[in-house]
Amino acid sequence: MISEPSRHCTVELQALPSRIGQVRRIISAQLRYWHLDPLIDQAALGVTELLTNVHRHAQPDKSCTVDIELLLDRLTVSVHDHDPRVPTVNEADSFATSGRGLALIAAVSESWGVRPSGAAGKAVWFTLPATCGTSTLPPLAVYGSTTDGPFGSVPISPEAVAAAPARSAVVG
């Protein structure tokens, strides 16, 4: 299932190798729709690593949910599964063929973490910066809005945007 294509997308699946490629394509298409093309490679890599962890380690089942959400200037990607065990970052030796997934996510993302999800389970998430110049998606329409309102339209200069204080929010 994919939610309405606005600024939030949810995909429910079984974390099987055949499905991971499909989810990568869905995430890539959604980011293209949001005009966030520069984030596709990082988001696809991160979601692949998280889904591979679910496939390899999650108990009692492989069902999970992938959420991507664009909020302000942050893209958050999270994978929810039914296993309450918290993953750990491993230091794989140079010849290891696995064990670097969370280290890769830490390297390509702005932040990442784990939070409990539901009665049993967890969500592993990471964020990517979506700078103002990256997205050209118009603002969401306000239900019932047909005019600019009583205040009219006020243009905002690029200098005013650049002078605005930085903001960041990490949930979980």
PDB file of all heavy atoms in Angstrom, residues 78-104:
ATOM      1  N   SER A  78      12.196   5.809   7.514  1.00  0.00           N
ATOM      2  CA  SER A  78      12.178   4.889   8.648  1.00  0.00           C
ATOM      3  C   SER A  78      11.617   3.542   8.221  1.00  0.00           C
ATOM      4  O   SER A  78      10.782   3.454   7.315  1.00  0.00           O
ATOM      5  CB  SER A  78      11.369   5.459   9.810  1.00  0.00           C
ATOM      6  OG  SER A  78      10.043   5.717   9.422  1.00  0.00           O
ATOM      7  N   VAL A  79      12.112   2.501   8.874  1.00  0.00           N
ATOM      8  CA  VAL A  79      11.637   1.148   8.642  1.00  0.00           C
ATOM      9  C   VAL A  79      11.188   0.595   9.994  1.00  0.00           C
ATOM     10  O   VAL A  79      11.964   0.549  10.940  1.00  0.00           O
ATOM     11  CB  VAL A  79      12.726   0.248   8.016  1.00  0.00           C
ATOM     12  CG1 VAL A  79      12.239  -1.192   7.907  1.00  0.00           C
ATOM     13  CG2 VAL A  79      13.115   0.782   6.645  1.00  0.00           C
ATOM     14  N   HIS A  80       9.909   0.212  10.060  1.00  0.00           N
ATOM     15  CA  HIS A  80       9.305  -0.330  11.277  1.00  0.00           C
ATOM     16  C   HIS A  80       9.172  -1.837  11.114  1.00  0.00           C
ATOM     17  O   HIS A  80       8.664  -2.300  10.096  1.00  0.00           O
ATOM     18  CB  HIS A  80       7.906   0.259  11.491  1.00  0.00           C
ATOM     19  CG  HIS A  80       7.870   1.756  11.433  1.00  0.00           C
ATOM     20  ND1 HIS A  80       7.760   2.533  12.546  1.00  0.00           N
ATOM     21  CD2 HIS A  80       7.963   2.618  10.384  1.00  0.00           C
ATOM     22  CE1 HIS A  80       7.766   3.808  12.191  1.00  0.00           C
ATOM     23  NE2 HIS A  80       7.895   3.886  10.882  1.00  0.00           N
ATOM     24  N   ASP A  81       9.599  -2.600  12.135  1.00  0.00           N
ATOM     25  CA  ASP A  81       9.400  -4.047  12.104  1.00  0.00           C
ATOM     26  C   ASP A  81       8.848  -4.502  13.448  1.00  0.00           C
ATOM     27  O   ASP A  81       8.601  -3.680  14.328  1.00  0.00           O
ATOM     28  CB  ASP A  81      10.684  -4.796  11.714  1.00  0.00           C
ATOM     29  CG  ASP A  81      11.814  -4.636  12.715  1.00  0.00           C
ATOM     30  OD1 ASP A  81      11.556  -4.598  13.940  1.00  0.00           O
ATOM     31  OD2 ASP A  81      12.970  -4.559  12.290  1.00  0.00           O
ATOM     32  N   HIS A  82       8.651  -5.806  13.615  1.00  0.00           N
ATOM     33  CA  HIS A  82       8.020  -6.344  14.820  1.00  0.00           C
ATOM     34  C   HIS A  82       9.010  -6.934  15.807  1.00  0.00           C
ATOM     35  O   HIS A  82       8.616  -7.614  16.744  1.00  0.00           O
ATOM     36  CB  HIS A  82       6.974  -7.400  14.430  1.00  0.00           C
ATOM     37  CG  HIS A  82       5.885  -6.835  13.591  1.00  0.00           C
ATOM     38  ND1 HIS A  82       5.657  -7.257  12.304  1.00  0.00           N
ATOM     39  CD2 HIS A  82       4.987  -5.848  13.828  1.00  0.00           C
ATOM     40  CE1 HIS A  82       4.650  -6.559  11.790  1.00  0.00           C
ATOM     41  NE2 HIS A  82       4.239  -5.694  12.686  1.00  0.00           N
ATOM     42  N   ASP A  83      10.281  -6.702  15.615  1.00  0.00           N
ATOM     43  CA  ASP A  83      11.324  -7.231  16.494  1.00  0.00           C
ATOM     44  C   ASP A  83      11.790  -6.115  17.423  1.00  0.00           C
ATOM     45  O   ASP A  83      12.305  -5.104  16.953  1.00  0.00           O
ATOM     46  CB  ASP A  83      12.489  -7.756  15.654  1.00  0.00           C
ATOM     47  CG  ASP A  83      13.511  -8.520  16.465  1.00  0.00           C
ATOM     48  OD1 ASP A  83      13.550  -8.370  17.705  1.00  0.00           O
ATOM     49  OD2 ASP A  83      14.280  -9.276  15.851  1.00  0.00           O
ATOM     50  N   PRO A  84      11.643  -6.287  18.756  1.00  0.00           N
ATOM     51  CA  PRO A  84      12.033  -5.212  19.667  1.00  0.00           C
ATOM     52  C   PRO A  84      13.546  -5.090  19.879  1.00  0.00           C
ATOM     53  O   PRO A  84      14.004  -4.104  20.447  1.00  0.00           O
ATOM     54  CB  PRO A  84      11.341  -5.597  20.977  1.00  0.00           C
ATOM     55  CG  PRO A  84      11.219  -7.081  20.914  1.00  0.00           C
ATOM     56  CD  PRO A  84      11.005  -7.402  19.453  1.00  0.00           C
ATOM     57  N   ARG A  85      14.329  -6.037  19.390  1.00  0.00           N
ATOM     58  CA  ARG A  85      15.782  -5.969  19.591  1.00  0.00           C
ATOM     59  C   ARG A  85      16.359  -4.783  18.833  1.00  0.00           C
ATOM     60  O   ARG A  85      16.031  -4.541  17.675  1.00  0.00           O
ATOM     61  CB  ARG A  85      16.450  -7.260  19.124  1.00  0.00           C
ATOM     62  CG  ARG A  85      16.046  -8.467  19.961  1.00  0.00           C
ATOM     63  CD  ARG A  85      16.672  -9.733  19.427  1.00  0.00           C
ATOM     64  NE  ARG A  85      16.168  -9.970  18.060  1.00  0.00           N
ATOM     65  CZ  ARG A  85      16.750 -10.786  17.196  1.00  0.00           C
ATOM     66  NH1 ARG A  85      17.852 -11.424  17.513  1.00  0.00           N
ATOM     67  NH2 ARG A  85      16.225 -10.959  15.993  1.00  0.00           N
ATOM     68  N   VAL A  86      17.252  -4.061  19.506  1.00  0.00           N
ATOM     69  CA  VAL A  86      17.855  -2.857  18.940  1.00  0.00           C
ATOM     70  C   VAL A  86      19.119  -3.246  18.166  1.00  0.00           C
ATOM     71  O   VAL A  86      19.971  -3.963  18.698  1.00  0.00           O
ATOM     72  CB  VAL A  86      18.204  -1.857  20.062  1.00  0.00           C
ATOM     73  CG1 VAL A  86      18.935  -0.643  19.508  1.00  0.00           C
ATOM     74  CG2 VAL A  86      16.943  -1.436  20.795  1.00  0.00           C
ATOM     75  N   PRO A  87      19.242  -2.786  16.922  1.00  0.00           N
ATOM     76  CA  PRO A  87      20.454  -3.102  16.149  1.00  0.00           C
ATOM     77  C   PRO A  87      21.652  -2.328  16.689  1.00  0.00           C
ATOM     78  O   PRO A  87      21.507  -1.285  17.330  1.00  0.00           O
ATOM     79  CB  PRO A  87      20.102  -2.659  14.732  1.00  0.00           C
ATOM     80  CG  PRO A  87      19.109  -1.575  14.929  1.00  0.00           C
ATOM     81  CD  PRO A  87      18.322  -1.954  16.164  1.00  0.00           C
ATOM     82  N   THR A  88      22.835  -2.844  16.427  1.00  0.00           N
ATOM     83  CA  THR A  88      24.059  -2.175  16.854  1.00  0.00           C
ATOM     84  C   THR A  88      24.975  -1.981  15.650  1.00  0.00           C
ATOM     85  O   THR A  88      24.930  -2.740  14.690  1.00  0.00           O
ATOM     86  CB  THR A  88      24.811  -2.995  17.919  1.00  0.00           C
ATOM     87  OG1 THR A  88      25.102  -4.286  17.384  1.00  0.00           O
ATOM     88  CG2 THR A  88      23.979  -3.140  19.183  1.00  0.00           C
ATOM     89  N   VAL A  89      25.808  -0.959  15.748  1.00  0.00           N
ATOM     90  CA  VAL A  89      26.793  -0.702  14.708  1.00  0.00           C
ATOM     91  C   VAL A  89      27.974  -1.633  14.957  1.00  0.00           C
ATOM     92  O   VAL A  89      28.529  -1.665  16.055  1.00  0.00           O
ATOM     93  CB  VAL A  89      27.259   0.765  14.719  1.00  0.00           C
ATOM     94  CG1 VAL A  89      28.332   1.004  13.667  1.00  0.00           C
ATOM     95  CG2 VAL A  89      26.087   1.697  14.508  1.00  0.00           C
ATOM     96  N   ASN A  90      28.337  -2.405  13.937  1.00  0.00           N
ATOM     97  CA  ASN A  90      29.465  -3.325  14.036  1.00  0.00           C
ATOM     98  C   ASN A  90      30.688  -2.731  13.367  1.00  0.00           C
ATOM     99  O   ASN A  90      30.568  -1.947  12.423  1.00  0.00           O
ATOM    100  CB  ASN A  90      29.140  -4.652  13.340  1.00  0.00           C
ATOM    101  CG  ASN A  90      28.013  -5.385  14.017  1.00  0.00           C
ATOM    102  OD1 ASN A  90      27.841  -5.312  15.216  1.00  0.00           O
ATOM    103  ND2 ASN A  90      27.238  -6.100  13.219  1.00  0.00           N
ATOM    104  N   GLU A  91      31.851  -3.137  13.856  1.00  0.00           N
ATOM    105  CA  GLU A  91      33.092  -2.793  13.172  1.00  0.00           C
ATOM    106  C   GLU A  91      33.521  -4.026  12.408  1.00  0.00           C
ATOM    107  O   GLU A  91      34.137  -4.928  12.967  1.00  0.00           O
ATOM    108  CB  GLU A  91      34.157  -2.366  14.173  1.00  0.00           C
ATOM    109  CG  GLU A  91      33.905  -0.985  14.737  1.00  0.00           C
ATOM    110  CD  GLU A  91      35.121  -0.445  15.469  1.00  0.00           C
ATOM    111  OE1 GLU A  91      36.256  -0.740  15.059  1.00  0.00           O
ATOM    112  OE2 GLU A  91      34.903   0.263  16.444  1.00  0.00           O
ATOM    113  N   ALA A  92      33.166  -4.077  11.144  1.00  0.00           N
ATOM    114  CA  ALA A  92      33.513  -5.226  10.300  1.00  0.00           C
ATOM    115  C   ALA A  92      34.966  -5.107   9.874  1.00  0.00           C
ATOM    116  O   ALA A  92      35.457  -4.006   9.606  1.00  0.00           O
ATOM    117  CB  ALA A  92      32.598  -5.267   9.084  1.00  0.00           C
ATOM    118  N   ASP A  93      35.651  -6.261   9.810  1.00  0.00           N
ATOM    119  CA  ASP A  93      37.033  -6.196   9.324  1.00  0.00           C
ATOM    120  C   ASP A  93      37.025  -5.913   7.825  1.00  0.00           C
ATOM    121  O   ASP A  93      35.998  -5.994   7.157  1.00  0.00           O
ATOM    122  CB  ASP A  93      37.824  -7.461   9.680  1.00  0.00           C
ATOM    123  CG  ASP A  93      37.345  -8.712   8.954  1.00  0.00           C
ATOM    124  OD1 ASP A  93      37.120  -8.628   7.725  1.00  0.00           O
ATOM    125  OD2 ASP A  93      37.216  -9.762   9.603  1.00  0.00           O
ATOM    126  N   SER A  94      38.184  -5.593   7.299  1.00  0.00           N
ATOM    127  CA  SER A  94      38.261  -5.123   5.911  1.00  0.00           C
ATOM    128  C   SER A  94      37.857  -6.181   4.884  1.00  0.00           C
ATOM    129  O   SER A  94      37.538  -5.834   3.750  1.00  0.00           O
ATOM    130  CB  SER A  94      39.664  -4.603   5.608  1.00  0.00           C
ATOM    131  OG  SER A  94      40.617  -5.625   5.848  1.00  0.00           O
ATOM    132  N   PHE A  95      37.857  -7.479   5.252  1.00  0.00           N
ATOM    133  CA  PHE A  95      37.492  -8.523   4.302  1.00  0.00           C
ATOM    134  C   PHE A  95      36.073  -9.046   4.505  1.00  0.00           C
ATOM    135  O   PHE A  95      35.635  -9.924   3.775  1.00  0.00           O
ATOM    136  CB  PHE A  95      38.494  -9.683   4.379  1.00  0.00           C
ATOM    137  CG  PHE A  95      39.880  -9.258   3.999  1.00  0.00           C
ATOM    138  CD1 PHE A  95      40.870  -9.122   4.966  1.00  0.00           C
ATOM    139  CD2 PHE A  95      40.186  -8.957   2.681  1.00  0.00           C
ATOM    140  CE1 PHE A  95      42.147  -8.716   4.609  1.00  0.00           C
ATOM    141  CE2 PHE A  95      41.466  -8.543   2.322  1.00  0.00           C
ATOM    142  CZ  PHE A  95      42.450  -8.421   3.295  1.00  0.00           C
ATOM    143  N   ALA A  96      35.346  -8.503   5.473  1.00  0.00           N
ATOM    144  CA  ALA A  96      33.982  -8.959   5.740  1.00  0.00           C
ATOM    145  C   ALA A  96      33.065  -8.569   4.581  1.00  0.00           C
ATOM    146  O   ALA A  96      33.224  -7.505   3.979  1.00  0.00           O
ATOM    147  CB  ALA A  96      33.459  -8.368   7.038  1.00  0.00           C
ATOM    148  N   THR A  97      32.107  -9.419   4.281  1.00  0.00           N
ATOM    149  CA  THR A  97      31.165  -9.139   3.194  1.00  0.00           C
ATOM    150  C   THR A  97      29.838  -8.606   3.711  1.00  0.00           C
ATOM    151  O   THR A  97      28.938  -8.337   2.928  1.00  0.00           O
ATOM    152  CB  THR A  97      30.905 -10.411   2.362  1.00  0.00           C
ATOM    153  OG1 THR A  97      30.405 -11.426   3.227  1.00  0.00           O
ATOM    154  CG2 THR A  97      32.192 -10.876   1.692  1.00  0.00           C
ATOM    155  N   SER A  98      29.696  -8.463   5.010  1.00  0.00           N
ATOM    156  CA  SER A  98      28.477  -7.900   5.588  1.00  0.00           C
ATOM    157  C   SER A  98      28.832  -7.266   6.930  1.00  0.00           C
ATOM    158  O   SER A  98      29.969  -7.342   7.384  1.00  0.00           O
ATOM    159  CB  SER A  98      27.415  -8.992   5.770  1.00  0.00           C
ATOM    160  OG  SER A  98      27.860  -9.943   6.710  1.00  0.00           O
ATOM    161  N   GLY A  99      27.838  -6.618   7.538  1.00  0.00           N
ATOM    162  CA  GLY A  99      28.051  -6.029   8.850  1.00  0.00           C
ATOM    163  C   GLY A  99      28.338  -4.546   8.856  1.00  0.00           C
ATOM    164  O   GLY A  99      28.672  -3.988   9.891  1.00  0.00           O
ATOM    165  N   ARG A 100      28.189  -3.894   7.714  1.00  0.00           N
ATOM    166  CA  ARG A 100      28.483  -2.460   7.643  1.00  0.00           C
ATOM    167  C   ARG A 100      27.251  -1.592   7.417  1.00  0.00           C
ATOM    168  O   ARG A 100      27.368  -0.395   7.205  1.00  0.00           O
ATOM    169  CB  ARG A 100      29.455  -2.196   6.491  1.00  0.00           C
ATOM    170  CG  ARG A 100      30.819  -2.777   6.690  1.00  0.00           C
ATOM    171  CD  ARG A 100      31.730  -2.381   5.516  1.00  0.00           C
ATOM    172  NE  ARG A 100      33.026  -2.994   5.653  1.00  0.00           N
ATOM    173  CZ  ARG A 100      33.321  -4.214   5.234  1.00  0.00           C
ATOM    174  NH1 ARG A 100      32.418  -4.953   4.644  1.00  0.00           N
ATOM    175  NH2 ARG A 100      34.524  -4.704   5.403  1.00  0.00           N
ATOM    176  N   GLY A 101      26.063  -2.182   7.429  1.00  0.00           N
ATOM    177  CA  GLY A 101      24.847  -1.459   7.068  1.00  0.00           C
ATOM    178  C   GLY A 101      24.597  -0.198   7.866  1.00  0.00           C
ATOM    179  O   GLY A 101      24.403   0.882   7.299  1.00  0.00           O
ATOM    180  N   LEU A 102      24.596  -0.302   9.190  1.00  0.00           N
ATOM    181  CA  LEU A 102      24.329   0.887  10.002  1.00  0.00           C
ATOM    182  C   LEU A 102      25.472   1.891   9.921  1.00  0.00           C
ATOM    183  O   LEU A 102      25.239   3.098   9.978  1.00  0.00           O
ATOM    184  CB  LEU A 102      24.060   0.484  11.449  1.00  0.00           C
ATOM    185  CG  LEU A 102      22.758  -0.280  11.671  1.00  0.00           C
ATOM    186  CD1 LEU A 102      22.628  -0.710  13.124  1.00  0.00           C
ATOM    187  CD2 LEU A 102      21.557   0.547  11.253  1.00  0.00           C
ATOM    188  N   ALA A 103      26.701   1.417   9.763  1.00  0.00           N
ATOM    189  CA  ALA A 103      27.826   2.336   9.586  1.00  0.00           C
ATOM    190  C   ALA A 103      27.678   3.116   8.283  1.00  0.00           C
ATOM    191  O   ALA A 103      27.977   4.316   8.231  1.00  0.00           O
ATOM    192  CB  ALA A 103      29.142   1.564   9.613  1.00  0.00           C
ATOM    193  N   LEU A 104      27.188   2.451   7.219  1.00  0.00           N
ATOM    194  CA  LEU A 104      26.937   3.156   5.959  1.00  0.00           C
ATOM    195  C   LEU A 104      25.849   4.205   6.136  1.00  0.00           C
ATOM    196  O   LEU A 104      25.967   5.331   5.637  1.00  0.00           O
ATOM    197  CB  LEU A 104      26.518   2.168   4.871  1.00  0.00           C
ATOM    198  CG  LEU A 104      27.627   1.374   4.210  1.00  0.00           C
ATOM    199  CD1 LEU A 104      27.040   0.294   3.310  1.00  0.00           C
ATOM    200  CD2 LEU A 104      28.525   2.285   3.411  1.00  0.00           C
TER     201      LEU A 104
END
